[in-house]
Amino acid sequence: MKNNLWLEGLSDAVGFIGGALLGFWAGQMLGWDIFAKGYGNASMGGILLCGIGGGLGLQLARRWRARGTDSNKDQ
């Protein structure tokens, strides 16, 4: 069980960070800087893309983990 929790935490972290980085880079390509001074539209758009990317990355990691669990039940 301990190994399973380690895999769960690691895959969640990798999925979230990877998705947030993809959202950050997409924002940078659009010219939306999350670190801009103040909370302008471009800054808020960049923050939104980072949040959405992190959430989607986390969901993809959990689906990947669930798919692996389902294939193990068949054996």
Side-chain angles (χ1 to χ4, degrees):
M1 177 155 194
K2 185 176 183 181
N3 191 20
N4 206 12
L5 292 175
W6 173 252
L7 177 64
E8 181 178 347
L10 187 62
S11 65
D12 281 355
V14 168
F16 179 80
I17 297 297
L21 281 174
L22 286 175
F24 172 76
W25 291 327
Q28 290 293 308
M29 288 175 35
L30 292 171
W32 298 350
D33 186 12
I34 66 171
F35 301 114
K37 188 174 181 180
Y39 287 107
N41 290 337
S43 179
M44 293 302 289
I47 292 169
L48 182 69
L49 279 179
C50 279
I52 289 172
L56 288 175
L58 178 63
Q59 289 304 312
L60 284 173
R62 289 183 177 177
R63 287 177 192 224
W64 169 77
R65 205 172 49 245
R67 186 180 62 185
T69 310
D70 290 341
S71 65
N72 289 340
K73 288 180 182 177
D74 294 338
Q75 295 176 353

